[in-house]
């Protein structure tokens, strides 16, 4: 295992596949593209997009949710599905408050 940084894949150095090594290069473009997409709605946004890149089977919620809630007390139903790529608003707010209080000490 090596910690050296390189832009060239070398199977003798890297512990992941070439595909896994190259995947992060596409992430910034994917995230910037995804941020500009508006969801299709027949009446309010007929020119919106239907995302075919996310698979969420909402038909299983009635089977999955009770099991999750039994295993994890207080499990919120919305966590069954994909979360926003920017993170949960509650977590972002809490993290900002923490950083403001403990890192910038209220000044920035």
């Amino acid at each position: 295992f090596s910690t050296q940084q390189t832009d060239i894949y070398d199977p003798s150095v890297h512990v992941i596949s070439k595909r896994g090594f190259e995947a992060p290069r596409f992430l910034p473009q994917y995230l910037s593209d995804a941020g500009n997409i508006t969801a299709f709605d027949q009446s309010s946004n007929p020119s919106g997009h239907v995302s075919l890149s996310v698979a969420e089977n909402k038909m299983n919620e009635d089977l999955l949710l009770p099991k999750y809630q039994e295993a994890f007390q207080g499990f919120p139903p919305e966590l069954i599905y994909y979360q926003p790529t920017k993170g949960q608003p509650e977590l972002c707010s809490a993290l900002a408050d923490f950083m403001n209080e403990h890192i910038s000490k209220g000044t920035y």
Side-chain angles (χ1 to χ4, degrees), residues 63-102:
L63 300 172
L64 294 175
L65 188 56
K67 297 289 186 186
Y68 288 145
Q69 289 178 330
E70 182 181 322
F72 307 104
Q73 195 168 23
F75 186 89
E78 62 271 11
L79 290 184
I80 290 178
Y81 306 109
Y82 288 103
Q83 305 303 306
T85 55
K86 294 180 181 178
Q88 287 291 338
E90 298 86 0
L91 176 60
C92 294
S93 178
L95 186 56
D97 290 345
F98 175 84
M99 293 174 73
N100 189 39
E101 182 179 339
H102 295 282

Side-chain angles (χ1 to χ4, degrees), residues 18-79:
K18 184 175 182 181
R19 180 176 165 207
F21 177 80
E22 293 175 351
R25 295 179 190 182
F26 300 107
L27 192 57
Q29 181 64 41
Y30 167 76
L31 292 176
S32 67
D33 290 348
N36 299 323
I37 293 174
T38 57
F40 171 82
D41 182 277
Q42 188 171 359
S43 57
S44 66
N45 193 15
S47 63
H49 296 84
V50 175
S51 177
L52 301 177
S53 64
V54 176
E56 292 182 327
N57 190 345
K58 295 184 179 185
M59 295 174 63
N60 287 334
E61 182 175 333
D62 62 331
L63 300 172
L64 294 175
L65 188 56
K67 297 289 186 186
Y68 288 145
Q69 289 178 330
E70 182 181 322
F72 307 104
Q73 195 168 23
F75 186 89
E78 62 271 11
L79 290 184

